[in-house]
Every structure is written in structure tokens, then in C-alpha cells.
Amino acid sequence: MARVSTALPLSVRTRMWERRSLVERILSDVVTQIEPGDVPIAEFLLNSLDERGYLDTSVDEVAARFGRPVAAIERILRVVQQLAPVGVAARDMPLLA
């Protein structure tokens, strides 16, 4: 009887590993710039990135989820955006002239 593999194809596993690796690298930089209590929020923001690197949630939703002011979420998001590669955690695509 032939054995059927239920494992993910190599290309999918590779993309998942690369994405996770990027999140871990960014988070390791971010934690040096924010308060320890803000780390779960930064981690949530990074894990809310879509496959293009855009933030797939609103700061209002994150603020409500963590019971924090929107300004605090914006501050943490700015740190993530400053330390991540250009465009990661963007909320929209600016129009190019």
C-alpha cells in the first residue's frame, strides 16, 4: 500500500519558515526598544502581517484587544516599522507620483 504524505509541500514550508524567521528577527530588535509589557503587542502586530508584509488589522482593533490606548499601539507600531525592512507593517501603499 502506497504511503500518502500529509506534510506541506517544501515551498510552503520554506515560505512559512522564512516568514517566521523574519518575524523573530524583527521582534528580537523591537524588544530592545520597547517596554517589556509592550512585547505581546509587538508580537501580535508582527503576527498580523499578511503575506505581503502589510498589517492585516487596525490599530483600533489591537487597542481594544489589549485594552490600551490607540496612541500606545501607534507608538509600538512605529518602532516595528522603523526596525523592520522598508514596507513591513505598512497599513497602505502610498501613491507614487
Side-chain angles (χ1 to χ4, degrees):
M1 175 179 238
R3 187 173 180 181
V4 177
S5 174
T6 58
L8 293 171
L10 182 58
S11 62
V12 172
R13 289 185 304 208
T14 301
R15 282 193 308 257
M16 289 172 63
W17 178 84
E18 288 171 349
R19 181 182 185 283
R20 185 65 197 155
S21 179
L22 177 64
V23 167
E24 289 172 349
R25 287 193 311 259
I26 296 168
L27 188 60
S28 70
D29 291 337
V30 169
V31 298
T32 67
Q33 304 295 313
I34 61 176
E35 297 295 322
D38 293 339
V39 172
I41 297 169
E43 190 170 14
F44 181 83
L45 290 168
L46 287 165
N47 285 313
S48 295
L49 301 177
D50 69 13
E51 64 279 350
R52 300 171 300 160
Y54 289 109
L55 187 61
D56 199 26
T57 189
S58 74
V59 291
D60 292 326
E61 291 169 337
V62 178
R65 179 183 182 101
F66 286 92
R68 299 284 302 275
V70 169
I73 306 305
E74 291 277 359
R75 180 182 46 78
I76 298 164
L77 178 59
R78 276 193 303 276
V79 172
V80 169
Q81 291 170 331
Q82 289 169 353
L83 296 175
V86 174
V88 171
R91 291 180 276 178
D92 58 16
M93 178 65 133
L95 296 174
L96 300 176

